Amino acid sequence: MFSKLSVVAVSVLVTLAAAMPGGYTPPVTTPTSNQCCSSVQSSSSNVVSAVAGLLGLDLSGLNVPIGLGCSPITVLGNNCGGTQVTCESPEKEWGSLIAINCIPITL
């Protein structure tokens, strides 16, 4: 049941993202912000495209890892519970939904 619901939810997000006009293409710079992300995926994945589309971001042509559900790591050794990465710091208007150019780190 859960997998069917996931497929439907992703399909709806992809459809919404495809219907939205192209948006702002964020610049790719050197990552400087330690983040804890729920997942890190290719910038060309369907889920990333859907989230980026909802935020008005155009990631087409970018070939960098994208962090989803990210929050800053402020204390060394904290229990991340996700993937520890160094990313470009997410813009405030993106909330914690997406971070650009995420490279795995070990703290």
Side-chain angles (χ1 to χ4, degrees), residues 19-30:
M20 296 186 73
Y24 166 73
T25 300
V28 176
T29 60
T30 304

Side-chain angles (χ1 to χ4, degrees), residues 24 26-27 29-37 55 57 66-73 85-102:
Y24 166 73
T29 60
T30 304
T32 59
S33 177
N34 292 340
Q35 300 281 320
C36 179
C37 299
L55 294 172
L57 299 174
I66 304 295
L68 298 175
C70 300
S71 60
I73 297 174
V85 291
T86 296
C87 303
E88 293 180 36
S89 186
E91 300 291 331
K92 289 184 187 218
E93 62 268 16
W94 302 345
S96 62
L97 294 176
I98 197 167
I100 308 293
N101 199 18
C102 296

Side-chain angles (χ1 to χ4, degrees), residues 38-49 64-68 99 102:
S38 62
S39 70
V40 177
Q41 300 185 26
S42 165
S43 55
S44 62
S45 81
N46 288 339
V47 172
V48 169
S49 296
V64 295
I66 304 295
L68 298 175
C102 296

Side-chain angles (χ1 to χ4, degrees), residues 11-29:
S11 297
V12 168
L13 287 174
V14 169
T15 302
L16 287 172
M20 296 186 73
Y24 166 73
T25 300
V28 176
T29 60

